[in-house]
Amino acid sequence: NAGVTQTPKFRVLKTGQSMTLLCAQDMNHEYMYWYRQDPGMGLRLIHYSVGEGTTAKGEVPDGYNVSRLKKQNFLLGLESAAPSQTSVYFCASVGPSAGGTEAFFGQGTRLTVV
Amino acid sequence: AQSVAQPEDQVNVAEGNPLTVKCTYSVSGNPYLFWYVQYPNRGLQFLLKYITGDNLVKGSYGFEAEFNKSQTSFHLKKPSALVSDSALYFCAVRDMIAGFQKLVFGTGTRLLVSP
């Protein structure tokens, strides 16, 4: 029972490079989220999805794009990485279990942009 | 918009002593409040939640939280701390936008339990 799986776990990018972070959940959850975690700032919502084929912007969407082509996968893309995007990225999902309130998180992706 | 505040960056406590990690909230309507814990190099794990009912909520690993409406607080507590409780703790509140729910997190409080 994997829950929420993120790949890769670590990555170093040069400024201007692109990459895609993959989030996969096996709980058949409708809602999926991408957060970034920075020291002293908690977790901030980047983008979210309420179901397959739908995405929306969160608090800090600039410089990121997302896609949800399959219900179980939520991809986060950086088209042209900047040092300000150095962060730890977390994916989460929420489903009808536990009253539809408990979020399940992946282990995170630590991204460094140099 | 809903928000939570964690006034302490770090809490230090000796093993065996009671611990409290503070959280205050600002919401319109009835709050859905949560505590999550993050161990080093791991994702966040759900500890407990308050939606309605008893003001004292019990959760995982012996933690509990007290909802206080008059003080708009939701403090996390444990009667006897363990060294293994050392971690980063986040308070969160549910926010609803156009029928969609998201979690709004506090800035986190690092708990350090010394032997």
Side-chain angles (χ1 to χ4, degrees), chain A residues 33 37 48 50 98 100-101 103, chain B residues 36 38 42-43 49 100-101 103:
Chain A
Y33 312 74
Q37 182 182 22
Y48 61 92
V50 301
T101 55
Chain B
Y36 283 80
Q38 183 182 28
R42 301 295 297 274
K49 66 183 177 186
F100 167 77
Q101 68 168 356
L103 286 175

Side-chain angles (χ1 to χ4, degrees), chain A residues 1-6 23-32 68 71-74 91-94 104:
Chain A
N1 189 4
V4 179
T5 303
Q6 291 182 232
C23 176
Q25 53 94 3
D26 60 2
M27 297 171 284
N28 202 35
H29 285 174
E30 291 291 339
Y31 293 168
M32 296 187 74
R68 183 114 180 254
K71 187 177 184 179
Q72 63 267 34
N73 296 336
F74 194 28
C91 176
S93 70
V94 173
F104 293 81

Side-chain angles (χ1 to χ4, degrees), chain B residues 29-94:
Chain B
N30 295 320
Y32 282 33
L33 296 162
F34 305 81
W35 277 101
Y36 283 80
V37 60
Q38 183 182 28
Y39 297 102
N41 301 313
R42 301 295 297 274
L44 277 71
Q45 297 178 31
F46 172 81
L47 272 181
L48 50 80
K49 66 183 177 186
Y50 172 84
I51 296 177
T52 186
D54 195 348
N55 288 344
L56 186 63
V57 179
K58 295 190 182 297
S60 306
Y61 312 121
F63 284 93
E64 57 190 26
E66 186 172 9
F67 172 72
N68 188 316
K69 189 172 183 178
S70 62
Q71 297 186 3
T72 61
S73 67
F74 188 55
H75 300 333
L76 181 70
K77 300 181 179 184
K78 188 173 183 181
S80 179
L82 300 171
V83 172
S84 57
D85 292 330
S86 298
L88 188 56
Y89 290 81
F90 289 96
C91 181
V93 64
R94 189 183 79 164

Side-chain angles (χ1 to χ4, degrees), chain A residues 11-18 79-83 111-114:
Chain A
R11 185 73 184 268
V12 178
L13 284 181
K14 294 182 179 179
T15 298
Q17 286 185 320
S18 64
E79 290 187 346
S80 179
L111 174 66
T112 302
V113 182
V114 298

